[in-house]
Amino acid sequence: MADVLWAAEDFSLTIGRQTIYDNTAVALFAGERCALVGRNGCGKSTLLRIITGAELPGSDSRITRARGLRVAVLPQDFELADRRSVAENIRDGLEYFFDLQRQYAAVSPHSPEHDALEHKLQFHDAWNTEVKLATVMEKLRLNPIAERDCTALSGGEKRRVALARAIISEPDLLLLDEPTNHLDVNTIEWIEEYLANCKCSCLFVTHDRYFLDRIATRIIELDHGKFYSYEGNYADFLAEKAAREQREDIFEQKRQSFLRSEIDWVRRSPKARLKRNMGRMKRFDEIAAIAKPVRDADMELLIPAPPRLGNKTVELKNVSHDFGGKPMIKDFSFEFAPGSRIGLVGPNGIGKSTLVKIIAGLLTPAHGTSECASTVQFNLIDQNRMVLDPEKTVQEEISEGLEHVYLGSEKVTVWTYLKRFLFEDERIKTRIKYLSGGEKARLALAKVLKRGGNFIILDEPTNDLDLSSLRLLEEALAVFPGCVLAVSHDRYFLNRICTGVLSFASGGEIFYTPGDYDYALEKRREREARLNVAVPAKTAVPPPVKSKPKKLSYKEQRELETIETAIAAADEAVAELEALFGDPDFFAKYGAQTAELQAKLEAARAESSRLYARWDELETKQRALAAD
């Protein structure tokens, strides 16, 4: 069995009248990537804070922690050091390696501690901290903003900085709370690749079902204070959870049947009160004390019936727009068909929000026109949802001084409306500042959906919603008779709802593909492949046709004759540098030159690879010419 990194037994925690953990147990093991799932507000983020030591469990809980365990965390509400640059904030994650280097320099070269520190330095490649920094910043596309002050960053940029700071430390256990929020698809795909290949173990909370399905090796569910473990990915979890609940329901049916028969026996038989039957009575009491399975109620997500749309909705004609001289949208024409559900995708900062504002009539394009039919009523749910007053109660925020909410022709009380969004009595009277992130997301959704409208625009609607709420939102949008425009990086969500996808490309070009996100991605790759093939053929006049040469040119022949000698020299240079790194006393002799020598080794390997490729190219060409 793998080593235990962190474990809890008799795990309990109560906050107010809510039981977060109910005398349960959970463990995390080395080498696994665990997803933590559960309803919003059930205690997932609290568990991450307990693991880091930022919060304490109940007094009777027994916590086991591996010796020397290093934990790095990306919380939902992270902080960056203001008045410091992006690179400086990320460099904070390298402090462990800097500390190892300081310890290594301070101890005697002949001490056991020296050998242990050298092993750690080699294991983490800890002499190359600047290489680590440059690599992570490049992969998360932070190089262009490396020297910018963090106060000037967007939400997505700040999250990438915080993520880089967490992963660059190469901890034993990496904790990620909603790591894909506000990140574009390319960044999410890189994170997936990184987690699949990194040495650390990982526990993450996410609503992104593709991310969950591709990365998780085990799923831990927190359900009404109890932890349940499922081996495998998200698809395995759904099947096993259904099977578990079925077993619980069968047991509950048998329990109720037993209790009914025993109650009947007690009522009919005076012998039930005799001492010899006390064992039977005790068993009855034990079975009666077993709690029945608790099932979560689903949010009753109702989008009000929209006003009727005509044959025309919104039409864009030759729309172009730029920002600071940079083209955001280039000569784009598109008409939204009534009943269509369109996904809008592209990297952060490419112009999606600009296009949304033009469609909604909030921004006039620099060129072209946006025509909106008189029957269209927009309902825009932006990235920041809607500003919620933290001092108001949930009821006050929704009621706006009224007792009822009108959903098309339906009239319901504010209390009834909020219960549809899973707000219990005590939470309805709770101030917004005390709600969880998921509860705030549900409240904002409840507030914005009650406005109605027949053209709904959703900007990152899946952020902070739990998996059950996401499924209900998808189902509600799928049957909505009006138009839907969804800006999202959630691939699973887009596949569930889209009838077509608008994809941003470089230079402000936007391409429309009918169908779901996967089909749009396939077509985008085909388009990029065609562009890559077409790149060399840019001349207006085709070059004159020449007779095919019968042999290599003089220059190519000379290159082929000398290339083997060059390959041998390059291989020798690589071997010498590799032998240097293999020296047991390498760090004692060359520690200060590690970065320089590493760069030389990489350059020598690259040169060797280039020469081998060129030699193969020339040999192949010579054989082909000889065969003609």
PDB file of all heavy atoms in Angstrom, residues 427-442:
ATOM      1  N   ARG A 427     -30.892  29.838   6.252  1.00  0.00           N
ATOM      2  CA  ARG A 427     -29.995  30.482   5.297  1.00  0.00           C
ATOM      3  C   ARG A 427     -30.681  31.668   4.607  1.00  0.00           C
ATOM      4  O   ARG A 427     -30.019  32.611   4.192  1.00  0.00           O
ATOM      5  CB  ARG A 427     -29.507  29.490   4.244  1.00  0.00           C
ATOM      6  CG  ARG A 427     -28.815  28.266   4.788  1.00  0.00           C
ATOM      7  CD  ARG A 427     -27.649  28.620   5.673  1.00  0.00           C
ATOM      8  NE  ARG A 427     -26.446  28.995   4.950  1.00  0.00           N
ATOM      9  CZ  ARG A 427     -25.340  29.423   5.539  1.00  0.00           C
ATOM     10  NH1 ARG A 427     -25.309  29.568   6.872  1.00  0.00           N
ATOM     11  NH2 ARG A 427     -24.270  29.738   4.825  1.00  0.00           N
ATOM     12  N   ILE A 428     -31.993  31.599   4.480  1.00  0.00           N
ATOM     13  CA  ILE A 428     -32.725  32.712   3.857  1.00  0.00           C
ATOM     14  C   ILE A 428     -32.596  33.974   4.696  1.00  0.00           C
ATOM     15  O   ILE A 428     -32.586  35.092   4.163  1.00  0.00           O
ATOM     16  CB  ILE A 428     -34.210  32.319   3.653  1.00  0.00           C
ATOM     17  CG1 ILE A 428     -34.305  31.240   2.565  1.00  0.00           C
ATOM     18  CG2 ILE A 428     -35.054  33.531   3.255  1.00  0.00           C
ATOM     19  CD1 ILE A 428     -35.705  30.689   2.358  1.00  0.00           C
ATOM     20  N   LYS A 429     -32.450  33.797   6.002  1.00  0.00           N
ATOM     21  CA  LYS A 429     -32.311  34.946   6.895  1.00  0.00           C
ATOM     22  C   LYS A 429     -30.848  35.310   7.164  1.00  0.00           C
ATOM     23  O   LYS A 429     -30.546  36.226   7.924  1.00  0.00           O
ATOM     24  CB  LYS A 429     -32.994  34.639   8.239  1.00  0.00           C
ATOM     25  CG  LYS A 429     -34.516  34.603   8.177  1.00  0.00           C
ATOM     26  CD  LYS A 429     -35.081  35.992   7.899  1.00  0.00           C
ATOM     27  CE  LYS A 429     -36.600  36.018   8.002  1.00  0.00           C
ATOM     28  NZ  LYS A 429     -37.144  37.365   7.705  1.00  0.00           N
ATOM     29  N   THR A 430     -29.923  34.587   6.531  1.00  0.00           N
ATOM     30  CA  THR A 430     -28.482  34.805   6.758  1.00  0.00           C
ATOM     31  C   THR A 430     -27.971  35.961   5.905  1.00  0.00           C
ATOM     32  O   THR A 430     -28.386  36.132   4.759  1.00  0.00           O
ATOM     33  CB  THR A 430     -27.695  33.524   6.414  1.00  0.00           C
ATOM     34  OG1 THR A 430     -28.157  32.457   7.245  1.00  0.00           O
ATOM     35  CG2 THR A 430     -26.201  33.720   6.627  1.00  0.00           C
ATOM     36  N   ARG A 431     -27.048  36.748   6.464  1.00  0.00           N
ATOM     37  CA  ARG A 431     -26.432  37.824   5.687  1.00  0.00           C
ATOM     38  C   ARG A 431     -25.518  37.213   4.618  1.00  0.00           C
ATOM     39  O   ARG A 431     -24.856  36.193   4.840  1.00  0.00           O
ATOM     40  CB  ARG A 431     -25.645  38.765   6.592  1.00  0.00           C
ATOM     41  CG  ARG A 431     -26.517  39.545   7.548  1.00  0.00           C
ATOM     42  CD  ARG A 431     -25.750  40.669   8.220  1.00  0.00           C
ATOM     43  NE  ARG A 431     -26.579  41.321   9.228  1.00  0.00           N
ATOM     44  CZ  ARG A 431     -27.492  42.242   8.952  1.00  0.00           C
ATOM     45  NH1 ARG A 431     -27.661  42.624   7.707  1.00  0.00           N
ATOM     46  NH2 ARG A 431     -28.213  42.781   9.902  1.00  0.00           N
ATOM     47  N   ILE A 432     -25.459  37.872   3.488  1.00  0.00           N
ATOM     48  CA  ILE A 432     -24.730  37.342   2.328  1.00  0.00           C
ATOM     49  C   ILE A 432     -23.246  37.161   2.629  1.00  0.00           C
ATOM     50  O   ILE A 432     -22.605  36.244   2.113  1.00  0.00           O
ATOM     51  CB  ILE A 432     -24.952  38.263   1.113  1.00  0.00           C
ATOM     52  CG1 ILE A 432     -26.407  38.153   0.655  1.00  0.00           C
ATOM     53  CG2 ILE A 432     -24.019  37.926  -0.035  1.00  0.00           C
ATOM     54  CD1 ILE A 432     -26.831  39.173  -0.366  1.00  0.00           C
ATOM     55  N   LYS A 433     -22.683  37.993   3.468  1.00  0.00           N
ATOM     56  CA  LYS A 433     -21.248  37.897   3.757  1.00  0.00           C
ATOM     57  C   LYS A 433     -20.877  36.590   4.443  1.00  0.00           C
ATOM     58  O   LYS A 433     -19.707  36.211   4.470  1.00  0.00           O
ATOM     59  CB  LYS A 433     -20.786  39.085   4.595  1.00  0.00           C
ATOM     60  CG  LYS A 433     -21.411  39.193   5.975  1.00  0.00           C
ATOM     61  CD  LYS A 433     -20.943  40.459   6.667  1.00  0.00           C
ATOM     62  CE  LYS A 433     -21.579  40.633   8.045  1.00  0.00           C
ATOM     63  NZ  LYS A 433     -21.141  41.895   8.692  1.00  0.00           N
ATOM     64  N   TYR A 434     -21.866  35.885   4.997  1.00  0.00           N
ATOM     65  CA  TYR A 434     -21.590  34.615   5.676  1.00  0.00           C
ATOM     66  C   TYR A 434     -21.861  33.402   4.780  1.00  0.00           C
ATOM     67  O   TYR A 434     -21.713  32.266   5.231  1.00  0.00           O
ATOM     68  CB  TYR A 434     -22.432  34.501   6.949  1.00  0.00           C
ATOM     69  CG  TYR A 434     -22.130  35.571   7.970  1.00  0.00           C
ATOM     70  CD1 TYR A 434     -23.126  36.428   8.423  1.00  0.00           C
ATOM     71  CD2 TYR A 434     -20.836  35.739   8.474  1.00  0.00           C
ATOM     72  CE1 TYR A 434     -22.847  37.423   9.358  1.00  0.00           C
ATOM     73  CE2 TYR A 434     -20.555  36.729   9.401  1.00  0.00           C
ATOM     74  CZ  TYR A 434     -21.564  37.568   9.835  1.00  0.00           C
ATOM     75  OH  TYR A 434     -21.281  38.553  10.754  1.00  0.00           O
ATOM     76  N   LEU A 435     -22.249  33.621   3.528  1.00  0.00           N
ATOM     77  CA  LEU A 435     -22.528  32.500   2.626  1.00  0.00           C
ATOM     78  C   LEU A 435     -21.234  31.945   2.036  1.00  0.00           C
ATOM     79  O   LEU A 435     -20.228  32.654   1.931  1.00  0.00           O
ATOM     80  CB  LEU A 435     -23.431  32.953   1.473  1.00  0.00           C
ATOM     81  CG  LEU A 435     -24.819  33.507   1.820  1.00  0.00           C
ATOM     82  CD1 LEU A 435     -25.564  33.860   0.533  1.00  0.00           C
ATOM     83  CD2 LEU A 435     -25.625  32.528   2.653  1.00  0.00           C
ATOM     84  N   SER A 436     -21.292  30.674   1.615  1.00  0.00           N
ATOM     85  CA  SER A 436     -20.157  30.080   0.904  1.00  0.00           C
ATOM     86  C   SER A 436     -20.131  30.604  -0.525  1.00  0.00           C
ATOM     87  O   SER A 436     -21.092  31.218  -1.007  1.00  0.00           O
ATOM     88  CB  SER A 436     -20.292  28.552   0.889  1.00  0.00           C
ATOM     89  OG  SER A 436     -21.375  28.167   0.048  1.00  0.00           O
ATOM     90  N   GLY A 437     -19.014  30.360  -1.215  1.00  0.00           N
ATOM     91  CA  GLY A 437     -18.899  30.798  -2.607  1.00  0.00           C
ATOM     92  C   GLY A 437     -19.985  30.188  -3.479  1.00  0.00           C
ATOM     93  O   GLY A 437     -20.560  30.858  -4.345  1.00  0.00           O
ATOM     94  N   GLY A 438     -20.298  28.904  -3.255  1.00  0.00           N
ATOM     95  CA  GLY A 438     -21.334  28.244  -4.038  1.00  0.00           C
ATOM     96  C   GLY A 438     -22.716  28.808  -3.758  1.00  0.00           C
ATOM     97  O   GLY A 438     -23.541  28.960  -4.668  1.00  0.00           O
ATOM     98  N   GLU A 439     -22.994  29.133  -2.495  1.00  0.00           N
ATOM     99  CA  GLU A 439     -24.285  29.727  -2.145  1.00  0.00           C
ATOM    100  C   GLU A 439     -24.439  31.106  -2.782  1.00  0.00           C
ATOM    101  O   GLU A 439     -25.523  31.472  -3.253  1.00  0.00           O
ATOM    102  CB  GLU A 439     -24.415  29.822  -0.625  1.00  0.00           C
ATOM    103  CG  GLU A 439     -24.640  28.480   0.045  1.00  0.00           C
ATOM    104  CD  GLU A 439     -24.603  28.554   1.565  1.00  0.00           C
ATOM    105  OE1 GLU A 439     -23.750  29.296   2.103  1.00  0.00           O
ATOM    106  OE2 GLU A 439     -25.419  27.882   2.211  1.00  0.00           O
ATOM    107  N   LYS A 440     -23.347  31.879  -2.805  1.00  0.00           N
ATOM    108  CA  LYS A 440     -23.399  33.188  -3.465  1.00  0.00           C
ATOM    109  C   LYS A 440     -23.660  33.028  -4.957  1.00  0.00           C
ATOM    110  O   LYS A 440     -24.390  33.824  -5.555  1.00  0.00           O
ATOM    111  CB  LYS A 440     -22.090  33.937  -3.229  1.00  0.00           C
ATOM    112  CG  LYS A 440     -21.893  34.419  -1.797  1.00  0.00           C
ATOM    113  CD  LYS A 440     -20.535  35.074  -1.628  1.00  0.00           C
ATOM    114  CE  LYS A 440     -20.309  35.497  -0.175  1.00  0.00           C
ATOM    115  NZ  LYS A 440     -18.954  36.044   0.043  1.00  0.00           N
ATOM    116  N   ALA A 441     -23.053  31.999  -5.555  1.00  0.00           N
ATOM    117  CA  ALA A 441     -23.271  31.757  -6.991  1.00  0.00           C
ATOM    118  C   ALA A 441     -24.727  31.402  -7.251  1.00  0.00           C
ATOM    119  O   ALA A 441     -25.338  31.882  -8.215  1.00  0.00           O
ATOM    120  CB  ALA A 441     -22.353  30.634  -7.472  1.00  0.00           C
ATOM    121  N   ARG A 442     -25.328  30.564  -6.401  1.00  0.00           N
ATOM    122  CA  ARG A 442     -26.742  30.198  -6.557  1.00  0.00           C
ATOM    123  C   ARG A 442     -27.643  31.411  -6.357  1.00  0.00           C
ATOM    124  O   ARG A 442     -28.637  31.594  -7.063  1.00  0.00           O
ATOM    125  CB  ARG A 442     -27.122  29.097  -5.569  1.00  0.00           C
ATOM    126  CG  ARG A 442     -26.537  27.741  -5.859  1.00  0.00           C
ATOM    127  CD  ARG A 442     -27.396  26.611  -5.303  1.00  0.00           C
ATOM    128  NE  ARG A 442     -27.766  26.789  -3.926  1.00  0.00           N
ATOM    129  CZ  ARG A 442     -27.060  26.377  -2.878  1.00  0.00           C
ATOM    130  NH1 ARG A 442     -25.914  25.765  -3.080  1.00  0.00           N
ATOM    131  NH2 ARG A 442     -27.476  26.572  -1.650  1.00  0.00           N
TER     132      ARG A 442
END
